Amino acid sequence: AASAPKPLPSSGPKSLREMPHPLATSSSEEMGPALTPSPDLLLPRSIADKDLSLPNGTPVDTSSPASSSSLLNRLQLDDDLDVETRDLFVTVDDPKKHVCTMETYITYRVTTKTTRAEFDLPEYSVRRRYQDFDWLRNKLEESQPTHLIPPLPEKFVVKGVVDRFSEEFVETRRKALDKFLKRITDHPVLSFNEHFNVFLTAKDLNAYKKQGMALLSKVGESVKYVTGGYKLRSRPLEFAAIGDYLDTFSLKLGTIDRIAQRIIKEQLEYLVELREYGPVYSTWGGLEVELSEPLEGVSACIGNCCTALEELSEDMTEDFLPVLREYILYAESMKNVLKKRDQVQAEYEAKLEAVALKKEDRPKVPTDVEKCQDRVECFNADLKADMERWQNNKRQDFRQLLMGMADKNIQYYEKVCVTYW
């Protein structure tokens, strides 16, 4: 059954200098920097450096809190710190199926509430389909090339494997689209983009799309850099480190994704066996009256185990896997921005070489070289800021994701291993 969306909060702003460098750990470490435990999950020094004990001398185990639910409670203290300062809220809900002569598709309601002066009304409600979200992302990439654009859920669906009109698939996509818009809303630059404003407010988006095809925006025209023939000598160390980190991060997440899918597959196979196993005891109880009560009890216990295991598998499928895949796509988006940055730097280096080869004395650097240098500096600044924001969000998202998964596994085994049996 479709459940209410659970938006993952983003952490507050933090200085880049305060953040550990993604490649600060030794390269010889097997798991790499992507899986290094966050310092936020470590115990305070005053607690971790000494053994705790009760007044009677009994040692206290600080490896886990007293109850599994408190694992998440202690992580949610800063979730809503910036809610009062926000002035733009966007949600995606109410998916509807449309059957037309030529095609069948799903639309989603996009609701916007805002106090920004750029909007004529305080609230908007429009319906959008997936290709509209795709249009928005392409426009953001075109008009804001120096920024990291959040990824969309993959459009490709294998026929016969996934029913793109099933409730489960539609709800998973709705959550991903909602996350996509919330990422843009939280961004200090992308949220003010004119195309984003149109996407949230225009009743007829198709008319705006056709207009955009006829006339390229001035912003989009100004960022079509000339990249042919330029080759970057060497990427600066800080951006080379980001590139290496993204490669390692994608590799590790891909491995985790494959293992998680295998676990889910094995859980579902075990679930099929349990469902066949339980009725055997009921049938047996009908044959032996003296043993009917305990045998029915075992059958009921197995039935409860089936329900609990099914819920655990659904949580893995609906909550765990989508976050992994979003961040795999996020890493690819960041790599694309890095490539664009490299292209602009290569163009700048080529222009500098061209100026140096000319014999005549020049009182100052040509204007086009200065503009190219400005583009490089703009790219560097925007990329660093977006990388910092992405690292903050990633740390918070994975902290909540992994602690939540641990919490659900604890609850599952408490129910199955303790309560039911």
Side-chain angles (χ1 to χ4, degrees):
S3 57
K6 306 171 186 175
L8 296 177
S10 59
S11 59
K14 187 176 182 182
S15 170
L16 185 61
R17 292 197 178 104
E18 298 175 16
M19 295 180 57
H21 195 279
L23 295 183
T25 56
S26 172
S27 60
S28 62
E29 293 181 3
E30 181 182 356
M31 293 306 292
L35 299 182
T36 303
S38 169
D40 299 297
L41 299 182
L42 301 178
L43 291 172
R45 184 175 299 275
S46 60
I47 297 178
D49 289 348
K50 61 182 180 180
D51 296 329
L52 300 183
S53 61
L54 299 176
N56 61 4
T58 304
V60 176
D61 181 10
T62 57
S63 60
S64 62
S67 65
S68 58
S69 60
S70 63
L71 287 170
L72 289 178
N73 291 340
R74 71 184 184 190
L75 297 178
Q76 295 174 345
L77 298 176
D78 62 336
D79 285 355
D80 300 319
L81 290 179
D82 59 339
V83 169
E84 294 182 359
T85 63
R86 292 183 182 179
D87 54 6
L88 181 63
F89 298 87
V90 180
T91 57
V92 178
D93 59 9
D94 189 29
K96 287 185 178 180
K97 184 177 181 180
H98 300 261
V99 180
C100 303
T101 306
M102 300 297 294
E103 62 176 338
T104 301
Y105 59 94
I106 303 292
T107 64
Y108 304 84
R109 180 175 62 188
V110 178
T111 304
T112 304
K113 296 182 179 180
T114 182
T115 56
R116 289 187 180 181
E118 292 80 12
F119 293 85
D120 296 329
L121 301 174
E123 186 171 346
Y124 295 87
S125 180
V126 295
R127 298 204 70 85
R128 300 286 183 253
R129 55 187 298 186
Y130 179 89
Q131 67 180 31
D132 297 331
F133 287 85
D134 191 43
W135 170 85
L136 170 62
R137 191 179 190 283
N138 290 334
K139 283 297 183 181
L140 290 176
E141 276 195 331
E142 180 183 298
S143 58
Q144 309 281 177
T146 63
H147 287 286
L148 172 62
I149 311 301
L152 275 173
E154 294 154 305
K155 182 178 183 180
F156 180 72
V157 176
V158 181
K159 291 185 178 180
V161 178
V162 178
D163 178 10
R164 66 189 184 98
F165 298 114
S166 67
E167 289 186 9
E168 295 79 7
F169 179 82
V170 170
E171 175 61 14
T172 299
R173 172 162 285 186
R174 183 203 65 77
K175 288 181 180 180
L177 295 176
D178 183 77
K179 178 77 69 60
F180 169 71
L181 292 187
K182 281 181 168 57
R183 299 284 196 201
I184 298 174
T185 301
D186 291 340
H187 197 282
V189 176
L190 299 181
S191 63
F192 287 92
N193 185 276
E194 59 176 338
H195 301 297
F196 186 48
N197 185 305
V198 169
F199 176 86
L200 297 178
T201 61
K203 288 294 182 183
D204 184 9
L205 191 60
N206 289 326
Y208 188 84
K209 287 181 182 179
K210 293 175 182 178
Q211 177 185 359
M213 290 173 62
L215 297 173
L216 286 173
S217 67
K218 293 181 180 180
V219 177
E221 186 70 23
S222 67
V223 297
K224 293 188 177 298
Y225 305 122
V226 179
T227 59
Y230 299 129
K231 187 174 181 181
L232 183 65
R233 289 199 203 95
S234 63
R235 183 183 280 173
L237 290 179
E238 57 184 327
F239 296 109
I242 291 176
D244 293 341
Y245 169 74
L246 292 172
D247 289 338
T248 305
F249 180 71
S250 298
L251 180 65
K252 298 298 183 185
L253 279 195
T255 302
I256 295 174
D257 181 64
R258 289 192 298 273
I259 294 173
Q261 291 189 59
R262 191 171 71 218
I263 291 173
I264 293 172
K265 180 176 179 291
E266 292 174 353
Q267 285 178 341
L268 295 177
E269 291 173 350
Y270 177 52
L271 186 59
V272 171
E273 294 180 350
L274 277 182
R275 285 172 174 161
E276 296 175 353
Y277 186 47
V280 173
Y281 286 94
S282 297
T283 306
W284 185 5
L287 298 175
E288 298 194 45
V289 180
E290 298 84 355
L291 296 175
S292 62
E293 185 175 348
L295 290 174
E296 286 292 343
V298 173
S299 178
C301 176
I302 294 175
N304 290 331
C305 291
C306 288
T307 302
L309 181 60
E310 187 175 15
E311 291 175 356
L312 185 66
S313 298
E314 287 178 355
D315 288 335
M316 285 278 288
T317 303
E318 297 175 6
D319 296 333
F320 188 78
L321 291 182
V323 176
L324 292 183
R325 288 166 184 165
E326 181 198 14
Y327 272 92
I328 290 174
L329 294 174
Y330 237 137
E332 292 303 315
S333 298
M334 180 63 83
K335 290 178 186 178
N336 290 334
V337 180
L338 265 178
K339 289 178 181 177
K340 293 177 184 177
R341 194 217 71 85
D342 292 345
Q343 291 168 352
V344 174
Q345 182 183 339
E347 180 188 0
Y348 173 58
E349 291 176 354
K351 288 182 181 294
L352 281 181
E353 287 182 358
V355 171
L357 290 174
K358 292 185 178 181
K359 301 299 182 182
E360 65 269 19
D361 295 331
R362 291 178 175 271
K364 63 178 182 177
V365 179
T367 304
D368 61 332
V369 178
E370 291 181 340
K371 289 182 178 179
C372 194
Q373 182 183 13
D374 290 342
R375 287 203 297 268
V376 173
E377 293 175 354
C378 180
F379 244 117
N380 291 347
D382 290 348
L383 185 55
K384 287 179 184 178
D386 280 1
M387 185 66 182
E388 176 185 348
R389 185 177 298 103
W390 182 73
Q391 288 281 15
N392 284 336
N393 289 339
K394 176 176 65 67
R395 184 181 65 250
Q396 182 73 12
D397 289 351
F398 277 96
R399 201 164 50 147
Q400 185 184 41
L401 178 72
L402 297 174
M403 298 295 278
M405 184 180 67
D407 195 52
K408 288 169 183 174
N409 273 273
I410 290 171
Q411 293 175 5
Y412 166 72
Y413 286 105
E414 281 179 346
K415 284 181 180 179
V416 174
C417 298
V418 180
T419 308
Y420 295 153
W421 286 107

Coordinates of all heavy atoms in Angstrom, one line a residue, residues 129-145 147-155 176-177 180-181 183-184 190 193 195-196 199 205 209 326 328-337 340:
R129 N 3.2 16.2 -15.8 CA 3.6 14.8 -16.1 C 5.1 14.7 -16.0 O 5.8 15.7 -16.0 CB 3.0 14.3 -17.4 CG 3.4 15.2 -18.6 CD 2.6 14.8 -19.8 NE 3.0 13.5 -20.3 CZ 2.6 12.9 -21.4 NH1 1.8 13.6 -22.2 NH2 2.9 11.7 -21.8
Y130 N 5.6 13.4 -16.2 CA 7.0 13.2 -16.0 C 7.8 14.1 -17.0 O 8.9 14.7 -16.7 CB 7.4 11.7 -16.2 CG 8.8 11.5 -16.1 CD1 9.4 11.2 -14.9 CD2 9.7 11.5 -17.2 CE1 10.8 10.9 -14.8 CE2 11.0 11.2 -17.1 CZ 11.6 10.9 -15.9 OH 12.9 10.7 -15.8
Q131 N 7.4 14.1 -18.3 CA 8.1 14.9 -19.3 C 8.2 16.4 -19.0 O 9.2 17.0 -19.4 CB 7.5 14.6 -20.7 CG 6.2 15.2 -20.9 CD 5.6 15.0 -22.3 OE1 6.0 14.0 -22.9 NE2 4.8 15.9 -22.8
D132 N 7.3 16.9 -18.2 CA 7.4 18.3 -17.8 C 8.5 18.5 -16.8 O 9.2 19.5 -16.8 CB 6.1 18.7 -17.1 CG 4.9 18.7 -18.1 OD1 5.1 18.9 -19.3 OD2 3.8 18.5 -17.7
F133 N 8.7 17.5 -15.9 CA 9.8 17.5 -14.9 C 11.1 17.4 -15.7 O 12.1 18.1 -15.3 CB 9.7 16.4 -13.9 CG 8.6 16.6 -12.9 CD1 7.3 16.2 -13.2 CD2 8.9 17.1 -11.6 CE1 6.3 16.3 -12.2 CE2 7.9 17.3 -10.7 CZ 6.6 16.9 -11.0
D134 N 11.1 16.6 -16.7 CA 12.3 16.4 -17.5 C 12.7 17.7 -18.3 O 13.8 18.1 -18.4 CB 12.1 15.3 -18.5 CG 13.4 14.9 -19.2 OD1 14.4 14.7 -18.5 OD2 13.3 14.7 -20.4
W135 N 11.6 18.4 -18.8 CA 11.8 19.7 -19.4 C 12.5 20.7 -18.4 O 13.4 21.4 -18.8 CB 10.5 20.2 -19.9 CG 10.5 21.7 -20.4 CD1 10.9 22.1 -21.6 CD2 10.2 22.8 -19.6 NE1 10.8 23.5 -21.7 CE2 10.4 23.9 -20.4 CE3 9.8 23.0 -18.3 CZ2 10.2 25.3 -20.0 CZ3 9.6 24.3 -17.8 CH2 9.8 25.4 -18.7
L136 N 11.9 20.7 -17.2 CA 12.5 21.6 -16.2 C 13.9 21.4 -15.9 O 14.8 22.3 -15.9 CB 11.7 21.5 -14.9 CG 12.2 22.3 -13.7 CD1 12.3 23.8 -13.9 CD2 11.4 21.9 -12.4
R137 N 14.3 20.1 -15.8 CA 15.7 19.8 -15.5 C 16.6 20.2 -16.6 O 17.7 20.7 -16.4 CB 15.8 18.3 -15.2 CG 17.2 18.0 -14.6 CD 17.4 16.5 -14.3 NE 18.6 16.4 -13.5 CZ 19.9 16.4 -14.1 NH1 20.0 16.6 -15.4 NH2 20.9 16.3 -13.3
N138 N 16.2 19.9 -17.9 CA 17.0 20.3 -19.0 C 17.2 21.8 -19.1 O 18.3 22.3 -19.4 CB 16.3 19.8 -20.3 CG 16.4 18.3 -20.5 OD1 17.3 17.7 -19.9 ND2 15.5 17.8 -21.2
K139 N 16.1 22.6 -18.8 CA 16.2 24.0 -18.8 C 17.2 24.5 -17.7 O 17.9 25.5 -17.9 CB 14.8 24.7 -18.6 CG 14.0 24.6 -19.8 CD 14.6 25.5 -20.9 CE 13.7 25.5 -22.2 NZ 14.4 26.4 -23.2
L140 N 17.1 23.9 -16.5 CA 18.0 24.3 -15.4 C 19.5 24.0 -15.8 O 20.4 24.8 -15.5 CB 17.6 23.5 -14.1 CG 16.3 23.9 -13.5 CD1 16.0 23.0 -12.3 CD2 16.3 25.4 -13.0
E141 N 19.7 22.9 -16.4 CA 21.1 22.6 -16.9 C 21.6 23.5 -17.9 O 22.7 23.9 -17.9 CB 21.1 21.1 -17.5 CG 21.3 20.0 -16.4 CD 21.7 18.7 -17.1 OE1 21.3 18.5 -18.2 OE2 22.3 17.9 -16.4
E142 N 20.6 24.0 -18.8 CA 21.0 24.9 -19.8 C 21.3 26.3 -19.3 O 22.2 27.0 -19.7 CB 19.9 24.9 -20.9 CG 20.1 25.9 -22.0 CD 18.9 25.9 -22.9 OE1 18.5 24.8 -23.5 OE2 18.3 27.0 -23.1
S143 N 20.5 26.7 -18.4 CA 20.6 28.1 -17.9 C 21.5 28.3 -16.7 O 21.9 29.4 -16.4 CB 19.2 28.7 -17.6 OG 18.5 27.9 -16.6
Q144 N 21.7 27.2 -15.9 CA 22.6 27.2 -14.8 C 23.7 26.2 -14.9 O 23.8 25.2 -14.1 CB 21.8 27.0 -13.5 CG 20.5 27.8 -13.3 CD 20.8 29.2 -12.9 OE1 19.9 30.1 -12.7 NE2 22.1 29.5 -12.6
P145 N 24.6 26.3 -15.9 CA 25.6 25.2 -16.1 C 26.6 25.0 -15.0 O 27.2 24.0 -14.9 CB 26.2 25.6 -17.4 CG 26.1 27.1 -17.5 CD 24.8 27.4 -16.8
H147 N 26.0 25.0 -11.8 CA 25.4 24.4 -10.6 C 25.0 22.9 -10.8 O 24.8 22.5 -11.9 CB 24.1 25.2 -10.2 CG 24.5 26.6 -9.6 ND1 25.0 26.7 -8.4 CD2 24.3 27.8 -10.2 CE1 25.2 28.0 -8.1 NE2 24.8 28.7 -9.2
L148 N 25.0 22.3 -9.7 CA 24.6 20.8 -9.6 C 23.1 20.8 -9.7 O 22.4 21.2 -8.7 CB 25.2 20.2 -8.4 CG 24.7 18.8 -8.1 CD1 25.1 17.8 -9.2 CD2 25.2 18.3 -6.8
I149 N 22.5 20.2 -10.7 CA 21.1 20.0 -10.8 C 20.7 18.7 -10.3 O 21.3 17.6 -10.7 CB 20.6 20.1 -12.3 CG1 21.3 21.3 -13.0 CG2 19.1 20.2 -12.4 CD1 20.9 22.7 -12.3
P150 N 19.7 18.6 -9.3 CA 19.3 17.3 -8.8 C 18.8 16.4 -9.8 O 18.3 16.8 -10.9 CB 18.2 17.7 -7.8 CG 18.4 19.2 -7.5 CD 19.0 19.8 -8.8
P151 N 19.0 15.1 -9.6 CA 18.6 14.1 -10.7 C 17.2 13.8 -10.6 O 16.5 13.9 -9.5 CB 19.5 12.9 -10.3 CG 19.6 13.0 -8.8 CD 19.7 14.4 -8.5
L152 N 16.6 13.4 -11.7 CA 15.3 12.8 -11.8 C 15.3 11.3 -11.7 O 16.3 10.7 -12.1 CB 14.6 13.2 -13.1 CG 14.0 14.6 -13.2 CD1 13.5 14.9 -14.7 CD2 12.8 14.7 -12.3
P153 N 14.2 10.7 -11.3 CA 14.2 9.2 -11.4 C 14.3 8.8 -12.8 O 13.8 9.5 -13.7 CB 12.8 8.9 -10.7 CG 12.0 10.1 -10.9 CD 12.9 11.2 -10.8
E154 N 14.9 7.6 -13.1 CA 15.1 7.2 -14.4 C 13.7 6.9 -15.1 O 12.8 6.4 -14.5 CB 15.9 5.9 -14.4 CG 17.3 6.1 -13.9 CD 17.9 4.9 -13.3 OE1 17.3 4.3 -12.4 OE2 19.0 4.5 -13.7
K155 N 13.7 7.3 -16.4 CA 12.4 7.2 -17.1 C 12.3 5.8 -17.7 O 11.2 5.3 -17.8 CB 12.4 8.2 -18.3 CG 11.1 8.2 -19.1 CD 11.1 9.3 -20.2 CE 9.8 9.3 -20.9 NZ 9.8 10.4 -22.0
A176 N 10.0 10.4 -5.6 CA 11.2 10.9 -6.3 C 11.0 12.3 -6.9 O 11.9 13.1 -6.8 CB 11.7 9.9 -7.3
L177 N 9.9 12.5 -7.5 CA 9.6 13.8 -8.1 C 9.5 14.9 -7.0 O 9.9 16.0 -7.2 CB 8.4 13.7 -9.0 CG 8.5 12.8 -10.2 CD1 7.1 12.8 -10.9 CD2 9.6 13.3 -11.2
F180 N 12.9 15.7 -5.9 CA 13.5 16.5 -6.9 C 13.2 18.0 -6.8 O 14.0 18.9 -6.8 CB 13.1 16.0 -8.3 CG 13.5 16.9 -9.5 CD1 14.8 17.0 -9.9 CD2 12.5 17.6 -10.2 CE1 15.2 17.8 -10.9 CE2 12.9 18.4 -11.2 CZ 14.2 18.5 -11.6
L181 N 11.9 18.3 -6.6 CA 11.4 19.7 -6.5 C 11.9 20.3 -5.2 O 12.2 21.5 -5.1 CB 9.9 19.8 -6.6 CG 9.3 19.5 -8.0 CD1 7.9 19.8 -8.0 CD2 10.1 20.3 -9.1
R183 N 14.6 19.5 -3.6 CA 16.0 19.8 -3.7 C 16.2 21.2 -4.4 O 17.1 22.0 -4.0 CB 16.7 18.8 -4.5 CG 16.7 17.4 -4.0 CD 17.6 17.1 -2.8 NE 17.8 15.7 -2.6 CZ 18.3 15.2 -1.5 NH1 18.6 16.0 -0.5 NH2 18.4 13.9 -1.3
I184 N 15.4 21.4 -5.4 CA 15.5 22.7 -6.1 C 15.1 23.9 -5.2 O 15.7 24.9 -5.2 CB 14.7 22.7 -7.4 CG1 15.3 21.6 -8.4 CG2 14.7 24.0 -8.1 CD1 14.4 21.4 -9.6
L190 N 19.0 28.0 -7.7 CA 18.0 27.3 -8.6 C 16.6 27.7 -8.3 O 15.8 27.7 -9.2 CB 18.2 25.8 -8.5 CG 19.6 25.2 -8.9 CD1 19.6 23.7 -8.8 CD2 20.0 25.6 -10.3
N193 N 15.2 30.5 -10.3 CA 15.3 30.4 -11.8 C 14.0 30.7 -12.4 O 12.9 30.2 -11.9 CB 15.8 29.0 -12.2 CG 16.1 28.9 -13.7 OD1 15.1 28.6 -14.4 ND2 17.3 29.1 -14.1
H195 N 12.7 29.5 -15.2 CA 12.0 28.3 -15.7 C 11.3 27.5 -14.5 O 10.2 27.0 -14.7 CB 13.0 27.4 -16.4 CG 13.7 28.0 -17.5 ND1 13.0 28.5 -18.6 CD2 15.0 28.4 -17.7 CE1 13.9 29.0 -19.5 NE2 15.1 29.0 -18.9
F196 N 11.9 27.6 -13.3 CA 11.3 26.9 -12.2 C 10.0 27.7 -11.8 O 9.0 27.0 -11.5 CB 12.3 26.9 -11.0 CG 11.8 26.2 -9.8 CD1 11.3 24.9 -9.9 CD2 11.9 26.7 -8.5 CE1 10.9 24.2 -8.8 CE2 11.5 26.0 -7.4 CZ 11.0 24.8 -7.5
F199 N 7.4 26.6 -14.3 CA 7.0 25.2 -14.0 C 6.0 25.2 -12.9 O 5.0 24.4 -12.9 CB 8.2 24.4 -13.7 CG 7.9 23.0 -13.3 CD1 7.7 22.0 -14.3 CD2 7.7 22.6 -12.0 CE1 7.4 20.7 -13.9 CE2 7.4 21.3 -11.6 CZ 7.2 20.3 -12.6
L205 N 1.7 24.7 -19.6 CA 3.2 24.7 -19.8 C 3.6 24.4 -21.2 O 4.7 24.8 -21.7 CB 3.7 23.6 -18.9 CG 5.3 23.6 -18.7 CD1 5.8 24.9 -18.1 CD2 5.7 22.4 -17.8
K209 N 6.6 25.9 -23.5 CA 7.7 25.0 -24.2 C 7.9 25.4 -25.6 O 9.0 25.5 -26.1 CB 7.2 23.5 -24.1 CG 7.3 22.9 -22.7 CD 6.9 21.5 -22.7 CE 6.9 20.8 -21.4 NZ 6.5 19.4 -21.4
E326 N 19.2 7.4 -6.2 CA 19.2 8.9 -6.4 C 20.6 9.4 -6.2 O 21.1 10.2 -7.0 CB 18.3 9.5 -5.3 CG 18.3 11.1 -5.4 CD 17.8 11.8 -4.2 OE1 17.7 11.2 -3.1 OE2 17.5 13.0 -4.3
I328 N 23.4 7.7 -6.7 CA 24.2 7.2 -7.8 C 24.0 8.2 -9.0 O 25.0 8.6 -9.7 CB 23.8 5.8 -8.2 CG1 24.3 4.8 -7.2 CG2 24.5 5.5 -9.6 CD1 23.8 3.4 -7.4
L329 N 22.8 8.6 -9.2 CA 22.5 9.6 -10.3 C 23.1 11.0 -9.9 O 23.5 11.7 -10.8 CB 21.0 9.7 -10.5 CG 20.3 8.4 -11.1 CD1 18.8 8.6 -11.1 CD2 20.8 8.1 -12.5
Y330 N 23.0 11.3 -8.7 CA 23.6 12.6 -8.2 C 25.0 12.7 -8.5 O 25.6 13.7 -8.9 CB 23.3 12.7 -6.7 CG 22.6 13.9 -6.2 CD1 21.6 13.9 -5.3 CD2 22.9 15.2 -6.8 CE1 20.9 15.0 -4.9 CE2 22.2 16.3 -6.4 CZ 21.2 16.2 -5.4 OH 20.5 17.3 -5.0
A331 N 25.8 11.6 -8.2 CA 27.2 11.5 -8.5 C 27.5 11.7 -10.0 O 28.4 12.5 -10.4 CB 27.8 10.2 -8.0
E332 N 26.7 11.1 -10.8 CA 26.8 11.3 -12.3 C 26.6 12.8 -12.7 O 27.3 13.3 -13.5 CB 25.9 10.4 -13.1 CG 26.2 8.9 -12.9 CD 27.6 8.6 -13.4 OE1 28.0 9.1 -14.4 OE2 28.3 7.9 -12.6
S333 N 25.6 13.4 -12.0 CA 25.3 14.8 -12.3 C 26.5 15.7 -11.9 O 26.9 16.6 -12.6 CB 24.1 15.3 -11.6 OG 22.9 14.6 -12.0
M334 N 27.1 15.4 -10.8 CA 28.3 16.2 -10.3 C 29.4 16.0 -11.3 O 30.2 16.9 -11.5 CB 28.6 15.7 -8.9 CG 29.8 16.5 -8.3 SD 29.6 18.3 -8.1 CE 28.7 18.3 -6.5
K335 N 29.6 14.8 -11.8 CA 30.7 14.5 -12.7 C 30.5 15.3 -14.0 O 31.5 15.8 -14.6 CB 30.8 13.0 -13.1 CG 31.2 12.1 -12.0 CD 31.2 10.7 -12.4 CE 31.6 9.7 -11.3 NZ 31.5 8.3 -11.7
N336 N 29.3 15.5 -14.4 CA 29.0 16.3 -15.6 C 29.3 17.7 -15.4 O 29.8 18.4 -16.3 CB 27.5 16.1 -16.0 CG 27.2 14.8 -16.6 OD1 28.0 14.1 -17.1 ND2 25.9 14.3 -16.4
V337 N 29.0 18.3 -14.2 CA 29.4 19.7 -13.9 C 30.9 19.8 -13.9 O 31.4 20.8 -14.3 CB 28.8 20.1 -12.6 CG1 29.1 21.5 -12.2 CG2 27.2 20.0 -12.6
K340 N 32.1 20.1 -17.4 CA 31.9 21.5 -17.9 C 32.9 22.5 -17.4 O 33.4 23.3 -18.1 CB 30.5 21.9 -17.6 CG 29.4 21.1 -18.3 CD 28.0 21.6 -17.8 CE 26.9 20.8 -18.4 NZ 25.5 21.2 -17.8

